[in-house]
Structure formats: C-alpha cells, structure tokens
C-alpha cells in the first residue's frame, strides 16, 4: 500500500458545483497534514493545513479522519480558477518529520 | 519581498555532464529541501538540510550532491551518475523541520538531458 494515495482524476465539474477529494495515508503515526495546489508546470503552493477539528477557508473545507486514516478537501461553488492539481501532503513522526506527497488529484472546472 | 528563487528556469544538459541548480531563500528559514517531480508521480525527496553545514540524503539521493555553506543557499548538483535526470526540480524551505512547519517552494527548474 502506498504511503499516501489520491485518485488522480481528472474530476470534471461545472462552475458552481461542489466537489470533494479524499486522500488516504498508511502511517497511523502521521502528525500533520496539508493540501497544496499545483498549477500546470508551476510549483506547489500551500492551500491549507488540515487540523483535527476540521477547518474552513472561504469556499474550501478540509477535514481529517484519523480513525479511517484519510483527509478530505471540499470545494464549494467551484470557479474556473480552481482548475489545478491538488496535492495531499502528510508528515510523519520521527526526527526528520518525513514528508510524503501524494501524486495529486486533477480538477477541471468547466464553464 | 521574501521568497525562494531557483535558477535557471530551464536547463539543457548533454549526457555525461554535471550541472548545478541554484536555490536561494531570503525567508531566514533553517531547513531547505530538494525534490524532483516526474509525470504521474508525487514529489520525491532528494536531499534536505536542517542547518548550515549539515545535510542528509532523502529517498533518491543517488547521483546527486548538495552543499549548505550559507543559510540562504542550497545548490544541487546533478552528476553524470544520475541515470534519469530529466525532471522538474523543486527547492523548498521551512522555518524548521518540526511537524507543523510548512514548506514553501521555489518556482522550479526543468532539466532536460539531450
């Protein structure tokens, strides 16, 4: 089983739709979780951290389910500008705090 | 204006040549990282450095070398020993290496071996 798994997509959704992505992780000792956004041929940029209690930033909501070992990202009222690849990032325990990136889920918002 | 810079943006190399990719940050971050990204794969860690004059191998260090002589600089050399060097190389930094510390990325260098 991969350390971090994401559905590669693409998810093709119309403008205004709500879309959700999940990301599963294998190491139950993982400490922290993030969602990054990566535009085509660009660097990843932090979208949001994921807290145990869940957190919201405008149209974006991130949640963590430790029991089932997954995190989720919900995007409401999708905009054309949301089209990108969304990377799940998991940090484990240990001296270095190993960081593992998922392969990403591609979102295409259609007019 | 704080940030991470990488140069060059595009780099072409002939087989058998070593090449050095630049990474500079003015964020006063202690930790710096090098990743490579290949199509359909997640970012893979090449090397990381938590403090000046210290660095550790990541998951795919073979064929690469680094130095950390200054806090703000972490250059990566891709040697001729790296069998498949064509990739998108990303440098990142974070305040420290604690689990809550977020990594911030530079714009990347696309290396193509001809």
């Amino acid at each position: 089983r991969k350390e971090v798994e994401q559905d590669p997509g693409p998810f093709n959704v119309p403008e205004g739709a709500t879309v959700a992505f999940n990301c599963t992780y294998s190491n139950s000792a993982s400490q922290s979780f993030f969602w990054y956004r990566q535009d085509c041929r660009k660097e990843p940029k932090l979208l949001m951290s994921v807290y145990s209690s869940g957190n919201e930033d405008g149209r974006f909501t991130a949640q963590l389910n430790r029991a089932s070992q997954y995190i989720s990202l919900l995007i409401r009222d999708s905009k054309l500008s949301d089209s990108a690849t969304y990377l799940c990032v998991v940090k484990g325990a240990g001296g270095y705090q190993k960081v593992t990136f998922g392969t990403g889920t591609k979102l295409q918002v259609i007019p | 204006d704080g940030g991470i810079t990488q140069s060059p943006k595009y780099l072409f190399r002939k087989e058998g040549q070593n090449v050095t990719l630049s990474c500079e940050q003015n964020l006063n971050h202690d930790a710096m990282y090098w990743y490579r990204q290949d199509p359909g794969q997640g970012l893979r860690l090449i090397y990381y450095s938590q403090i000046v004059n210290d660095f550790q191998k990541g998951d795919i260090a073979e064929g690469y070398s680094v130095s950390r002589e200054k806090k703000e600089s972490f250059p990566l050399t891709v040697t001729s020993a790296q069998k498949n060097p064509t990739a998108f190389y990303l440098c990142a930094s974070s305040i420290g290496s604690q689990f809550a510390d977020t990594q911030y990325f530079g714009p990347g260098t696309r290396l193509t071996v001809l």
Side-chain angles (χ1 to χ4, degrees):
Chain A
R1 183 183 174 185
K2 286 185 179 178
E3 290 184 63
V4 176
E5 287 198 80
Q6 294 184 255
D7 182 340
F11 284 58
N12 297 313
V13 302
E15 270 187 289
T18 296
V19 62
F21 313 132
N22 281 347
C23 166
T24 59
Y25 60 94
S26 60
N27 184 355
S28 60
S30 296
Q31 295 288 333
S32 55
F33 310 87
F34 307 86
W35 284 103
Y36 278 73
R37 170 197 170 123
Q38 186 173 26
D39 293 295
C40 188
R41 301 179 72 81
K42 300 282 189 179
E43 74 274 24
K45 293 186 178 178
L46 179 68
L47 181 66
M48 57 199 304
S49 302
V50 186
Y51 303 123
S52 297
S53 55
N55 47 302
E56 188 174 307
D57 183 2
R59 297 181 293 108
F60 299 84
T61 300
Q63 295 202 312
L64 167 63
N65 185 317
R66 283 196 182 273
S68 300
Q69 294 183 207
Y70 74 87
I71 64 172
S72 63
L73 178 67
L74 180 79
I75 306 175
R76 289 180 298 277
D77 189 22
S78 298
K79 312 290 185 192
L80 295 176
S81 57
D82 293 333
S83 298
T85 296
Y86 291 83
L87 306 178
C88 164
V89 180
V90 176
K91 265 192 169 185
Y96 157 60
Q97 307 295 349
K98 179 177 168 60
V99 179
T100 304
F101 286 79
T103 54
T105 296
K106 186 170 183 178
L107 171 66
Q108 185 70 45
V109 181
I110 304 163
Chain B
D1 211 11
I4 305 173
T5 57
Q6 291 186 244
S7 62
K9 189 172 182 180
Y10 298 95
L11 189 57
F12 298 88
R13 189 196 92 176
K14 291 182 180 179
E15 275 194 50
Q17 288 182 336
N18 292 356
V19 63
T20 297
L21 281 56
S22 166
C23 177
E24 305 277 331
Q25 54 98 0
N26 61 4
L27 300 167
N28 200 32
H29 284 174
D30 285 320
M32 296 186 75
Y33 314 81
W34 274 106
Y35 294 90
R36 76 175 267 169
Q37 187 175 36
D38 296 280
Q41 296 197 42
L43 276 68
R44 292 183 291 167
L45 182 66
I46 303 172
Y47 267 98
Y48 66 97
S49 169
Q50 294 175 283
I51 55 171
V52 175
N53 293 322
D54 185 50
F55 50 82
Q56 286 79 39
K57 292 182 178 180
D59 299 320
I60 54 165
E62 185 176 349
Y64 300 98
S65 65
V66 293
S67 63
R68 187 87 187 276
E69 296 176 2
K70 298 186 294 183
K71 186 175 185 178
E72 58 270 23
S73 180
F74 191 41
L76 173 75
T77 297
V78 184
T79 75
S80 57
Q82 169 49 236
K83 298 305 177 189
N84 297 295
T86 295
F88 186 35
Y89 289 87
L90 289 156
C91 178
S93 72
S94 60
I95 290 175
S97 55
Q98 297 307 305
F99 66 85
D101 293 334
T102 304
Q103 293 187 12
Y104 297 92
F105 287 85
T109 293
R110 289 196 179 273
L111 173 64
T112 301
V113 174
L114 304 172

